Amino acid sequence: ERLSRESECRERAACAREASLIAERKEFEKSVNQSEEKYRKMEADLKKAKIEIDSSYAKLETSKQAFAELKQAAMMELEDREVAVVEREDAANQVLMQLQSDAVELEKQTAAARVEIERAEYVKKEAQDVMLRANEERGRVRELGLKLEEASENVARRAVEVEMQFEHAAEL
């Protein structure tokens, strides 16, 4: 009877360890899935930031070209009419100031976008580090699974031994 109680205690302890290992594995897999989702979101954010930078550069080039065209028109008008030149020059200066203001704003946006890209790349690197750690954890989980299987086999073997001892004790 004492052997039976000891065997039951061992079986319960083995079952509790097995349940604990299974719970740990589920929690780990959940954590890995969350990390992978964060990584995908960060990649999408990085792509958006790159698209915004490309758009900002395109706007800047368009503004530069528009400024060049306005300046050329003002120069041609200067040759044709001095009075009209003064009016056009004022208009060109206003456009130039606006374009310069736009250029400064675009440069600020570009700088901010660069900062965002650097931050996104840093976050991406962190996500990659998390993925690396997750892969290491997967290896540990596999090892735990093998240990769990081995423990289950040991418990099963011990159960058979205990059962044989009970039968032997019953025969006595």
Side-chain angles (χ1 to χ4, degrees), residues 58-112:
K59 287 179 183 176
L60 180 62
E61 287 301 316
T62 302
S63 296
K64 285 181 181 179
Q65 186 178 1
F67 172 73
E69 291 171 4
L70 281 172
K71 190 173 181 180
Q72 184 180 10
M75 296 295 274
M76 289 171 61
E77 199 66 26
L78 178 65
E79 293 171 1
D80 294 340
R81 299 182 225 140
E82 288 186 6
V83 173
V85 163
V86 171
E87 294 172 2
R88 289 186 185 265
E89 192 172 271
D90 288 343
N93 284 334
Q94 288 177 355
V95 170
L96 174 61
M97 288 185 341
Q98 182 60 47
L99 289 173
Q100 287 173 339
S101 174
D102 290 347
V104 167
E105 185 60 32
L106 286 172
E107 287 175 4
K108 286 179 186 176
Q109 290 175 0
T110 300

Side-chain angles (χ1 to χ4, degrees), residues 3 8 14 19 28 50 63 65 80-81 116 120 135 138 146 150 154 160 162 166-167 169:
L3 288 174
E8 286 178 13
F28 173 74
K50 285 182 179 181
S63 296
Q65 186 178 1
D80 294 340
R81 299 182 225 140
E116 285 299 319
N135 287 335
R138 283 185 181 135
L146 292 174
E150 184 180 329
N154 288 341
V160 169
V162 168
F166 278 128
E167 288 176 8

